[in-house]
Amino acid sequence: MTTVPHSSHWGAFDVEVSGDRIARLIPAASDSDPNPLIHDLGEAVESPVRVRRPAVRRSWLEAVRSSTGTGVTPDGSRNGAPLDARRREDRGREPFVEVDWDEALDLVAGELARVRDRHGNAAIFGGSYGWSSAGRFHHARTQLHRFLNAFGGHTSQVGNYSYGAAAFVLPHVLGSADFANGRLTSWDVIAEHTELWVMFGGLAMKNTRIESGGISDHTIGGWLRRIRANGCEVVSISPIRDDAPDVVDPSWLPVRPTTDTALMLGLAHTLLVEGLHDATFLATHCVGWERMADHLLAAPAKDAEWASAITGIPAESIRDLARRMARHRTMISVTWSLQRADHGEQPYWAAILLAAMLGQIGLPGGGFGFGYGATGTMGSWKYPFPAPRLPTGPNPVTAPIPAARIADMLLDPGGEYDFNGSRCRYPDTRVVYWAGGNPFHHHQDLNRLRRGWAGPEAIVVHEPFWTATARHADIVLPATTTLERNDIGAASGDPRIIAMHQAISPRHGARSDYDIFSDLAARLGIAEEYTQGRSEMEWIEHLYATTRSAAAEHGIALPDFARFWSDGGVDIDPGSTVLLEDFRADPEAHPLATPSGRIELFSETVASFGYDDCPGHPVWIEPAEWLGAAAATPGSLHLVSNQPGQRLHSQLDMAGTSRTSKVSGREPCRLNPADAAERGIADGQIVRVFNERGSCLAGVRLSEDISRGVIQLSAGAWYQSDGGAAGALEIHGNPNVLTRDRGTSRLTQGPAALTALVEVEPYDAEAPAVTVTDSPPPLVAD
Ligand SMILES: Nc1nc2c(c(=O)[nH]1)N[C@H]1C(S)=C(S)[C@@H](COP(=O)(O)OP(=O)(O)OC[C@H]3O[C@@H](n4cnc5c(=O)[nH]c(N)nc54)[C@H](O)[C@@H]3O)O[C@H]1N2
Ligand SMILES: Nc1nc2c(c(=O)[nH]1)N[C@H]1C(S)=C(S)[C@@H](COP(=O)(O)OP(=O)(O)OC[C@H]3O[C@@H](n4cnc5c(=O)[nH]c(N)nc54)[C@H](O)[C@@H]3O)O[C@H]1N2
Ligand SMILES: [Mo]
């Protein structure tokens, strides 16, 4: 029996290994509140849905083999197969042929070379959005970017699905997107100073269980206990009661989904008309206050009654909350989920307005914060040097698409769109290359994505598992899981850099993404650029050395690599932050990176773009779908497809915790008992959830924690659909067959998964069995 340290998005742990098998995973000694999901990793590694050998979709392989002899020359001089023979619309419905590594790599190298030579590098889509695994060297998406950049570049993705709207509006308002990604007042300061915490979207504990890059200590539960012990009062504004943890004894204001902007404007109006706003702070630290005040007062006045009619929250509660916010040291937090909706910029901009009116920005425990608790280190102090990270090199193709516009790109080659003040054009995509992500989990309106997915000539996926994305590819290359290789794990808000020792040998025929790309690079003549002659361990040592010297520049001494590796990691002493303290103290000496150097309550830049869906200051604009819309038929429910507690996105859906959470074999959906009764739906029953975009089955859990008019169906159940046409039935409970695939606005083009109305009915027919998490697709021998 040997024991080695390792880490994952779910937490750090030690692995007991016996005879090349995982005997036990033990939470790291550093973790005060370990995540039980780590125990699913051992099961996942041995799962029957591991990709065992390189596999090629049958008709694609037949077409390529029958085109011009065998083999593909690395210089791409040979044309590809007759394209129609590849039956691109059959992706996801055909068996795969297992081939050996050499043939698979020849095919991939041949397609890349052919497409680059005929169509240019922009025709290769390598955005490959996705979480991959925690180790920073073997981070699959970063490896792919490094490889494709060395190959002359690729069309990439900017922004993300997490805070895609915030990432592009906050630079206009506050001067940096970092305000959405962990630039926050730290927990210790909140615990000591905050008297009232108004949480828009709550602070769901389920979301704090994970961290991209790994997490050595889950601290948020402990902080919340201290916050409560200090007498801080918590108000949670959310359609779901249990978004706010019981430990802080929250009061709950159920809000109609995606109407928070109206609530914020209603609170702002109350502050204004009751003279509770800080006119000095607004004059010295902000621009545009007068215009905002005019907007609040202009007909229709954005008063509490106006906000109440939109949000469903009583006007008296709105006025009372505004007064309490002005009386106390108040933290206004907004989850990322609020901006993952039509006009998702607005609740962020309006929250900044509200905080500016209270005048507590830059004071300990006051002001605003975006994304507290979205992941396990959000709100933790961040060390001042970059965490280890594999450099990708520059991408010579400089026209990325906004992350969530993938289906638009595939469906509309050459099409034009607006984005953040620019007029952009989609490339003509010939190859899609994905490593470390699952678009058939993460994208909205999957039936639409599937139509676009039939466009490219070749789709290559690296995966450890037969996810829906792998099943919809032409060439699938089996990747190792994190436990099968050495790595280095870190997130700059977590105080430990972790030595991730390989625990077991690669299962079946799997290889690391690095080894796969190294062999492809050799075939394509870019081995030196890609590998720089380093082995896995040499890279890990190199990344550590880079971090160590960056830390030294900040006076932080880290041990040498040998010591780091044998100790299993190194700890960094945490510090403390008050957000915008310097700016508050002296806005001239510490200006924001906005055009005015101040908080832009009105942005001339945004106004100059002339976008009707995002004018120059925060406004309430009716979303395309919401409960107050005329289009909402009486039976409609608002779909909240939030993050799943029992897994990370689609990862580990095939393992114990997620499997046991299923209801009648489907993803659980939660409904208010009164809404269920009106539809004749009982607890435990299978229902069909549907709208004009698609339909899926789900298993019902009734709960008073869900507001009337809302259905919660978390994202991440592995997609299993009987056809893929609009109207096709997805049988497992993947909400993304129902969500809407339109950008948040022309300014930010973020994903808007939370803008979706659905109907729900009992499903009385015999429900087909879910098989995607149990068995691979049909595989035929070569
Ligand atoms: N409706 C709805 N949809 C959403 C959201 C929502 O709130 N509602 N949230 C969105 C958000 S915020 C996000 S971030 C996305 C997440 O979407 P993704 O990040 O795409 O989801 P994951 O399931 O984490 O996909 C990671 C994939 O990488 C694979 N993988 C892991 N390790 C390795 C490796 O070493 N090599 C290779 N090659 N592959 C590996 C895993 O098996 C998994 O299939 O989903 C988005 N989608
Ligand atoms: N266990 C687990 N944790 C995760 C993830 C995971 O997959 N699993 N994913 C991680 C990732 S990539 C991300 S980006 C973060 C995402 O972090 P968030 O975006 O904050 O997470 P969500 O769970 O989508 O949303 C949080 C809550 O917001 C509420 N909400 C939804 N719409 C509205 C609204 O209109 N108004 C109000 N007031 N509330 C609303 C919902 O009730 C929901 O439960 O989570 C991370 N944490
Ligand atoms: Mo995310």
Side-chain angles (χ1 to χ4, degrees):
M1 187 85 79
T2 54
T3 304
V4 297
H6 207 80
S7 185
S8 69
H9 296 310
W10 298 271
F13 50 84
D14 292 327
V15 196
E16 278 182 9
V17 184
S18 163
D20 203 27
R21 291 258 150 187
I22 292 163
R24 199 155 66 108
L25 295 177
I26 307 159
S30 53
D31 202 338
S32 55
D33 185 14
N35 181 355
L37 287 179
I38 58 170
H39 299 293
D40 287 350
L41 280 164
E43 180 189 341
V45 163
E46 308 294 352
S47 155
V49 290
R50 286 281 311 249
V51 182
R52 290 165 174 250
R53 298 184 53 207
V56 186
R57 186 166 63 86
R58 188 167 60 190
S59 66
W60 195 94
L61 182 66
E62 282 167 359
V64 171
R65 279 180 176 166
S66 69
S67 59
T68 14
T70 55
V72 182
T73 57
D75 66 3
S77 56
R78 187 187 73 96
N79 190 4
L83 298 179
D84 294 341
R86 300 179 186 193
R87 302 202 343 229
R88 288 171 278 163
E89 67 290 350
D90 281 350
R91 290 185 174 122
R93 296 180 198 141
E94 264 191 74
F96 284 85
V97 182
E98 292 187 324
V99 301
D100 62 32
W101 270 106
D102 270 338
E103 180 170 12
L105 293 172
D106 285 345
L107 288 171
V108 175
E111 284 299 289
L112 288 174
R114 178 182 69 78
V115 167
R116 179 190 59 185
D117 295 348
R118 302 202 137 207
H119 307 286
N121 281 84
I124 301 170
F125 179 75
S128 190
Y129 184 77
W131 266 57
S132 310
S133 44
R136 297 295 89 177
F137 173 62
H138 285 293
H139 189 255
R141 184 189 195 207
T142 310
Q143 290 284 359
L144 173 62
H145 287 178
R146 181 177 171 82
F147 165 73
L148 288 176
N149 290 350
F151 185 59
H154 63 108
T155 296
S156 197
Q157 285 161 294
V158 284
N160 55 42
Y161 283 69
S162 308
Y163 48 87
F168 294 102
V169 70
L170 291 183
H172 294 293
V173 182
L174 297 172
S176 172
D178 291 348
F179 291 96
N181 190 28
R183 204 163 148 194
L184 288 165
T185 293
S186 52
W187 287 104
D188 52 305
V189 177
I190 296 184
E192 193 178 337
H193 297 281
T194 305
E195 296 167 350
L196 172 63
W197 189 344
V198 180
M199 298 174 166
F200 289 89
L203 196 150
M205 282 305 289
K206 66 182 173 63
N207 289 352
T208 69
R209 310 308 297 156
I210 55 88
E211 183 55 71
S212 172
I215 176 165
S216 67
D217 188 11
H218 293 83
T219 58
I220 293 181
W223 286 121
L224 292 174
R225 277 191 295 279
R226 280 187 51 184
I227 285 165
R228 181 65 196 154
N230 269 7
C232 175
E233 194 191 333
V234 173
V235 177
S236 175
I237 295 155
S238 175
I240 299 182
R241 196 199 61 84
D242 53 17
D243 278 334
D246 288 339
V247 56
V248 290
D249 193 18
S251 50
W252 180 34
L253 290 180
V255 68
R256 217 165 261 152
T258 71
T259 65
D260 302 76
T261 303
L263 175 58
M264 292 167 182
L265 295 179
L267 292 165
H269 184 277
T270 303
L271 294 178
L272 172 60
V273 298
E274 300 194 3
L276 299 173
H277 59 296
D278 184 337
T280 311
F281 185 86
L282 289 164
T284 53
H285 289 73
C286 306
V287 294
W289 163 243
E290 292 75 16
R291 298 186 71 138
M292 233 14 259
D294 289 349
H295 177 74
L296 292 172
L297 298 171
K302 315 304 174 294
D303 60 14
E305 280 74 21
W306 172 86
S308 175
I310 296 169
T311 62
I313 296 175
E316 228 9 77
S317 305
I318 297 173
R319 289 209 173 84
D320 172 64
L321 181 60
R323 291 170 194 146
R324 283 192 289 149
M325 290 170 82
R327 269 202 306 274
H328 292 109
R329 181 60 55 86
T330 300
M331 174 57 74
I332 298 167
S333 70
V334 188
T335 52
W336 288 342
S337 53
L338 264 78
Q339 51 82 68
R340 210 176 294 119
D342 201 14
H343 313 298
E345 307 80 18
Q346 303 308 327
Y348 271 44
W349 210 343
I352 295 165
L353 164 71
L354 200 50
M357 291 176 76
L358 293 177
Q360 300 180 16
I361 293 170
L363 293 179
F368 62 84
F370 299 121
Y372 276 107
T375 69
T377 74
M378 288 293 288
S380 298
W381 179 79
K382 291 192 167 207
Y383 45 77
F385 54 90
R389 179 188 182 89
L390 177 73
T392 60
N395 182 355
V397 177
T398 52
I401 62 161
R405 301 278 47 84
I406 164 99
D408 286 358
M409 175 192 78
L410 294 174
L411 287 163
D412 189 18
E416 290 190 22
Y417 63 100
D418 286 310
F419 178 40
N420 203 9
S422 296
R423 193 84 186 137
C424 309
R425 190 184 285 278
Y426 291 118
D428 183 359
T429 305
R430 304 294 173 130
V431 174
V432 168
Y433 206 134
W434 226 290
N438 187 0
F440 277 84
H441 143 62
H442 71 229
H443 195 60
Q444 283 60 67
D445 197 348
L446 290 177
N447 290 317
R448 182 170 188 265
L449 176 68
R450 193 165 168 161
R451 290 194 288 282
W453 202 252
E457 293 153 18
I459 296 179
V460 184
V461 169
H462 295 193
E463 254 295 337
F465 303 101
W466 279 110
T467 60
T469 299
R471 289 167 201 254
H472 287 78
D474 299 318
I475 305 177
V476 182
L477 302 180
T480 49
T481 68
T482 183
L483 290 163
E484 295 152 355
R485 57 205 188 204
N486 294 296
D487 215 324
I488 182 166
S492 60
D494 183 71
R496 189 166 172 82
I497 302 175
I498 299 167
M500 299 167 64
H501 292 226
Q502 178 174 350
I504 51 171
S505 64
R507 303 286 102 146
H508 318 293
R511 306 184 66 199
S512 74
D513 298 282
Y514 181 63
D515 285 347
I516 298 170
F517 289 129
S518 297
D519 277 2
L520 286 172
R523 279 170 169 75
L524 295 165
I526 52 167
E528 182 54 33
E529 292 91 315
Y530 175 67
T531 67
Q532 293 187 1
R534 293 193 182 99
S535 67
E536 172 193 78
M537 279 311 290
E538 285 164 350
W539 266 112
I540 295 168
E541 184 162 356
H542 172 71
L543 297 187
Y544 180 78
T546 309
T547 301
R548 189 174 177 225
S549 39
E553 283 171 27
H554 291 270
I556 299 171
L558 303 183
D560 67 18
F561 181 74
R563 175 78 192 280
F564 160 75
W565 194 253
S566 64
D567 284 358
V570 57
D571 295 310
I572 297 152
D573 290 337
S576 183
T577 319
V578 175
L579 184 70
L580 293 173
E581 191 176 28
D582 290 354
F583 167 70
R584 180 189 183 88
D586 189 344
E588 306 301 326
H590 304 282
L592 302 181
T594 54
S596 62
R598 302 190 188 177
I599 298 171
E600 304 225 337
L601 303 178
F602 178 86
S603 162
E604 293 285 356
T605 312
V606 174
S608 75
F609 299 152
Y611 298 150
D612 54 356
D613 56 3
C614 190
H617 61 74
V619 286
W620 160 252
I621 307 174
E622 268 197 55
E625 294 176 25
W626 67 297
L627 287 172
T633 57
S636 287
L637 297 175
H638 196 112
L639 173 67
V640 173
S641 57
N642 58 354
Q643 312 295 323
Q646 66 278 27
R647 54 179 181 262
L648 170 69
H649 309 304
S650 69
Q651 297 196 55
L652 300 180
D653 193 33
M654 82 307 258
T657 309
S658 191
R659 291 178 87 96
T660 44
S661 75
K662 305 284 172 182
V663 174
S664 303
R666 324 285 138 171
E667 184 66 16
C669 68
R670 293 199 296 170
L671 281 172
N672 186 284
D675 285 324
E678 280 176 6
R679 293 166 178 77
I681 294 169
D683 191 71
Q685 189 171 5
I686 296 180
V687 286
R688 190 174 80 99
V689 190
F690 61 100
N691 59 21
E692 76 279 11
R693 291 178 287 269
S695 62
C696 69
L697 302 183
V700 171
R701 281 281 170 254
L702 299 183
S703 171
E704 299 280 359
D705 288 343
I706 308 294
S707 304
R708 286 298 305 267
V710 171
I711 175 170
Q712 180 218 325
L713 177 60
S714 295
W718 283 17
Y719 168 87
Q720 182 171 354
S721 172
D722 64 1
L729 183 65
E730 197 284 330
I731 64 167
H732 191 189
N734 185 319
N736 276 327
V737 298
L738 305 162
T739 51
R740 188 169 178 270
D741 182 19
R742 288 285 295 277
T744 39
S745 74
R746 289 192 281 164
L747 184 79
T748 64
Q749 295 288 5
L754 287 164
T755 294
L757 292 178
V758 296
E759 291 179 57
V760 186
E761 65 182 17
Y763 186 75
D764 297 323
E766 182 76 24
V770 173
T771 53
V772 267
T773 44
D774 294 325
S775 47
L779 299 170
V780 297
D782 198 4

